[in-house]
Amino acid sequence: MAATPLLELRGIDKSFGPVQVLHDVGMSVYPGEVTALVGDNGAGKSTLVKCISGIYTIDAGTVLFDGRTVTVNSPRDAADLGIEVVYQDLALCDNLDIVQNMFLGREQKRGIVLDEPTMEQMAAETLASLSVRTVKSLRQLVASLSGGQRQTVAIAKAVLWNSKVVILDEPTAALGVAQTAQVLELVRRLADNGLGVALISHNMNEVFAVSDRIAALYLGRMAAEVKTSDVTHAQVVELITGGRSGNLGLPPEGPTDFADFMPGGQL
Amino acid sequence: MSTYEIAGGVKVARPTMAGHLRDYLARIRGGDLGALPAVLGLVVLTLIFGAARPNSFFSAGNLANLFNQAAGLTMIAMGLIFVLLLGEIDLSAGYAAGVCGAAMAILLTDRGYAEPVALLGALLTGVVIGLALGFLVAKVGIPSFVVTLAAFLAFQGVLLNLLGEGKNLSIPDGFIKSLNKDSLPVSWSWGLAIASVAVFALFQFLRYRGRADRGLLTEPIGVTLLRVAGIAALILTATAILTRERAINPAVASLKGVPIAALVIGGFLVLWTLVLGRTSYGRHVYAVGGNPEAARRAGIPVDRIRISVFVIGSFMAAIGGIMLVSRAGSVDPNTGGSSTLLYSVGAAVIGGTSLFGGKGKVIHAVIGGAVIAVIDNGMFLMDFSSGTRYIFTGVILLIAAGVDALARRRAAAGNR
Ligand SMILES: Nc1ncnc2c1ncn2[C@@H]1O[C@H](COP(=O)(O)OP(=O)(O)OP(=O)(O)O)[C@@H](O)[C@H]1O
Ligand SMILES: [Mg+2]
């Protein structure tokens, strides 16, 4: 059990115009562990991820990386720290091939000319390390890949860079049984290799199968951060749907709590 | 399917000539046609016009003429391909060419500057125009259609004010005038032709070797050899034809050699093809055209890429303007007007560049430009009126855009 979290968030606020989506969110990701981030649709999970990766700027709060306060203003900054994100909507360019997508924005060059052989070799090695053993060609356009293959490319892109933290936003949502198992195995392997992994998922079986910790987001607030071994399925479901479970979770709603007046805020 | 193990142990299909051909056919069936329809169209049109007017169409003089005819619009089309790759449009490119050409002519005549200064002035005008258009599109957020439509009207006015209604400004003889009029000496023509074939072959060979040495998958060597042989045949045949005597009365003045315009077209073709295909800048242009959000998340400065394609677009419009003025020997308020822009956009689209962004190559401007020049030239030789020529070119453009749209639908239906 590591002492300092690799990635720690404190008091993150984020609004889109008048709508506040994240309220005072704190969360930690430890090296060598999988932290599952759970929450209902619209709880703010993807928004939190995009705040970490510099796609959105946060309104308030601090991000600590390896114990140091950092500012992340762009996806570049996050990548430079060693934070890689596999987005829910994948963000691949259909008109580029597998290798081109994996190196997008970080092409290997010799002088000013692209070094295609090196990129192809690195891509092949990374895919092999992820146990991807058959593709028609590494030069195949991403548009022609299946959902699972696209997911694999997106994950391979994230682990190509000796990253320290990998965040995956619902990586198994579109996958079949076999491919889901493969991706989960991969997620576990990343953590076992010492990386900090955050996994967003709606599937409780998945969460309990691979995670060491669970962070439950409820209506933009962090309801609870617990060890997976300390809670039951039912408790996590209660945290997700109600924000509380017994003495875990958000305090009972006071009359000043704005969430009271929102339709989704009632228990 | 026999497989092949490359670095890292990933298995991929083993390349064979037959497999290569199968892949190509599958890509075409999948809707990825590229320049194929344009090349076929070019062959068919050439055969038709050649059969109808064997003496005039299939003459060395006419081939040289085609280069000069196509040079202006091909240069503008090359710039437009960058803009189209981002799914944007530049309707002002035609008159931008006119304005840049006029700037050059005025510097040259009224102001009495030397030719290099005048050329630089034209190119700088193009870059400034491109920066302004790009800023308005990328930073202010006005759709490129509107920005460049406004610029189209404004530049037409600028040209009119610069030159005066009905005026015509002639440029003196010199380097600029010879650009799109004269030809290289025969010795130079052959030297350059052989050198370019040799360099092309060398690069193809080095690439093959580089991949093979690293244990990467290579295309069958036969495909490489065929490609080199094809390019060599094309360049050497054209050179052989163009170095024949084509003056009506050679005793008075001999006329032979590869037109300088062909060299200009070839030079920019190589330059921009390398930029798009072999630099990270080019890769980023494709990425922004394919999925701007993914590009942004990959840390690509999307706005700067957007501005840069308009700069390249207007810069190439300036080159096009120089070629147009050089060919006419003068500039007037209609230079770059009438059908220039439409032919240029048409050339890019007919060549195979998609109007929807993300798909296109610089060679498409050359192939599409050739199609348009051949139609214009061939139908003129067959005594069709200019009205009929416009109608026919319009139909061809519609077919090309239709092919593009259908290919897109097939590609969309093909996955998910
Ligand atoms: N760009 C935006 N502008 C305005 N509101 C937004 C924006 N992005 C997200 N939201 C809102 O923020 C809230 C949280 O959205 P988010 O996508 O983070 O949810 P999520 O937890 O990832 O849900 P899901 O499980 O469905 O993916 C939603 O109410 C959504 O409508
Ligand atoms: Mg989400």
Side-chain angles (χ1 to χ4, degrees):
Chain A
M1 195 63 30
T4 37
L6 208 43
L7 179 70
E8 187 180 356
L9 311 175
R10 287 184 195 157
I12 305 283
D13 286 346
K14 175 68 192 173
S15 303
F16 292 108
V19 189
Q20 188 166 356
V21 175
L22 296 178
H23 305 258
D24 191 26
V25 172
M27 183 184 164
S28 304
V29 177
Y30 292 87
E33 292 193 350
V34 176
T35 304
L37 178 58
V38 297
D40 240 337
N41 291 123
K45 304 180 298 294
S46 296
T47 307
L48 185 62
V49 169
K50 288 177 184 170
C51 286
I52 300 171
S53 69
I55 290 185
Y56 296 150
T57 49
I58 51 178
D59 300 338
T62 37
V63 179
L64 288 95
F65 189 81
D66 231 351
R68 285 175 298 115
T69 306
V70 292
T71 43
V72 177
N73 291 322
S74 71
R76 247 304 141 66
D77 295 347
D80 288 346
L81 287 171
I83 303 174
E84 291 290 332
V85 180
V86 179
Y87 295 97
Q88 193 167 6
D89 50 0
L90 292 188
L92 298 172
C93 290
D94 273 352
N95 60 335
L96 299 182
D97 66 32
I98 296 177
V99 180
Q100 292 172 339
N101 264 291
M102 283 175 64
F103 282 86
L104 193 59
R106 288 178 282 191
E107 292 83 7
Q108 302 292 301
K109 286 177 277 193
R110 251 191 307 179
I112 58 162
V113 181
L114 293 174
D115 188 354
E116 299 284 358
T118 298
M119 289 196 270
E120 199 166 321
Q121 217 164 16
M122 286 172 70
E125 281 160 11
T126 305
L127 283 170
S129 77
L130 302 184
S131 305
V132 178
R133 295 269 171 214
T134 26
V135 281
K136 207 165 115 237
S137 157
L138 291 176
R139 291 299 177 183
Q140 203 175 349
L141 291 189
V142 160
S144 67
L145 298 179
S146 75
Q149 289 174 317
R150 293 166 66 90
Q151 190 72 54
T152 314
V153 171
I155 295 175
K157 182 180 177 184
V159 300
L160 184 59
W161 300 102
N162 289 324
S163 29
K164 300 201 177 80
V165 174
V166 175
I167 304 171
L168 304 105
D169 196 349
E170 300 193 29
T172 58
L175 302 187
V177 181
Q179 282 177 323
T180 298
Q182 239 174 43
V183 168
L184 290 180
E185 197 183 305
L186 168 62
V187 166
R188 193 59 248 177
R189 201 152 359 112
L190 293 180
D192 293 344
N193 287 345
L195 275 68
V197 180
L199 171 74
I200 297 178
S201 175
H202 285 292
N203 183 323
M204 282 311 118
N205 294 328
E206 254 174 40
V207 168
F208 276 88
V210 295
S211 75
D212 302 290
R213 288 165 192 271
I214 297 175
L217 207 55
Y218 174 71
L219 290 177
R221 289 183 164 79
M222 190 52 75
E225 287 187 82
V226 293
K227 283 208 188 141
T228 308
S229 51
D230 293 348
V231 288
T232 63
H233 270 55
Q235 280 178 303
V236 177
V237 171
E238 271 179 20
L239 285 170
I240 292 171
T241 53
R244 269 181 294 138
S245 171
N247 54 359
L248 276 177
L250 297 166
E253 292 149 6
T256 50
D257 194 339
F258 182 65
D260 254 1
F261 304 103
M262 303 208 315
Q266 288 150 10
L267 239 174
Chain B
M1 181 175 73
S2 88
T3 55
Y4 181 87
E5 202 155 297
I6 59 170
V10 177
K11 285 201 184 63
V12 294
R14 179 183 287 282
T16 58
M17 283 291 257
H20 204 78
L21 188 67
R22 248 198 326 274
D23 282 357
Y24 182 66
L25 292 177
R27 271 216 309 282
I28 287 174
R29 268 199 306 278
D32 186 9
L33 295 168
L36 184 70
V39 171
L40 290 181
L42 193 59
V43 170
V44 170
L45 286 168
T46 307
L47 292 179
I48 292 174
F49 293 135
R53 291 285 181 277
N55 295 325
S56 49
F57 187 79
F58 271 153
S59 66
N62 199 40
L63 181 60
N65 193 26
L66 276 170
F67 279 105
N68 294 334
Q69 223 172 329
L73 76 98
T74 302
M75 291 296 107
I76 300 174
M78 277 188 195
L80 280 168
I81 281 177
F82 283 80
V83 177
L84 291 173
L85 273 176
L86 255 57
E88 307 279 357
I89 185 75
D90 183 358
L91 297 174
S92 69
Y95 276 115
V99 168
C100 295
M104 175 185 74
I106 289 171
L107 286 172
L108 210 53
T109 54
D110 290 4
R111 304 293 163 91
Y113 282 105
E115 287 196 315
V117 180
L119 280 174
L120 217 61
L123 299 180
L124 207 63
T125 310
V127 169
V128 170
I129 289 173
L131 279 173
L133 297 177
F135 177 82
L136 289 171
V137 173
K139 294 292 183 189
V140 184
I142 312 172
S144 60
F145 180 82
V146 180
V147 170
T148 60
L149 184 63
F152 167 86
L153 289 170
F155 292 162
Q156 191 171 4
V158 169
L159 195 56
L160 207 53
N161 284 348
L162 276 178
L163 299 172
E165 195 128 16
K167 288 264 185 58
N168 176 319
L169 193 57
S170 294
I171 58 165
D173 286 338
F175 173 73
I176 293 176
K177 207 165 173 176
S178 70
L179 268 178
N180 202 6
K181 191 162 142 284
D182 296 342
S183 299
L184 296 165
V186 172
S187 57
W188 276 71
S189 302
W190 277 114
L192 276 170
I194 291 167
S196 47
V197 169
V199 169
F200 181 76
L202 182 69
F203 270 89
Q204 290 287 322
F205 174 71
L206 285 180
R207 189 165 75 157
Y208 185 90
R209 269 277 305 278
R211 293 182 60 87
D213 285 354
R214 300 257 205 136
L216 291 173
L217 195 66
T218 53
E219 62 184 8
I221 187 81
V223 173
T224 312
L225 291 175
L226 265 180
R227 188 180 308 120
V228 172
I231 294 284
L234 199 67
I235 292 182
L236 297 179
T237 311
T239 309
I241 296 172
L242 289 167
T243 46
R244 287 218 309 258
E245 183 60 60
R246 53 180 189 264
I248 298 162
N249 190 349
V252 181
S254 170
L255 183 58
K256 49 187 172 181
V258 171
I260 298 174
L263 189 64
V264 174
I265 294 174
F268 278 108
L269 171 65
V270 171
L271 171 72
W272 293 128
T273 300
L274 291 179
V275 167
L276 267 187
R278 300 251 170 265
T279 68
S280 51
Y281 169 75
R283 183 70 36 91
H284 295 172
V285 168
Y286 281 109
V288 175
N291 186 344
E293 184 54 29
R296 197 167 76 90
R297 290 183 196 171
I300 295 170
V302 174
D303 282 359
R304 253 187 287 161
I305 299 281
R306 213 173 283 284
I307 294 173
S308 73
V309 297
F310 281 97
V311 172
I312 292 177
S314 300
F315 175 82
M316 289 311 291
I319 303 273
I322 294 168
M323 296 307 274
L324 290 175
V325 173
S326 166
R327 180 165 149 84
S330 67
V331 57
D332 62 58
N334 205 27
T335 301
S338 67
S339 58
T340 308
L341 170 81
L342 304 175
Y343 273 6
S344 305
V345 178
V349 174
I350 289 172
T353 291
S354 172
L355 284 166
F356 303 103
K359 242 174 65 188
K361 287 181 177 166
V362 184
I363 185 83
H364 294 167
V366 178
I367 297 171
V371 169
I372 288 187
V374 163
I375 292 173
D376 216 46
N377 174 294
M379 289 184 79
F380 176 81
L381 292 177
M382 287 177 71
D383 303 315
F384 283 105
S385 72
S386 59
T388 314
R389 265 145 55 202
Y390 282 144
I391 293 172
F392 190 67
T393 313
V395 171
I396 295 288
L397 175 56
L398 201 60
I399 292 172
V403 167
D404 178 26
L406 284 178
R408 224 171 102 88
R409 279 181 42 186
R410 284 197 80 138
N415 69 88
R416 258 155 296 160

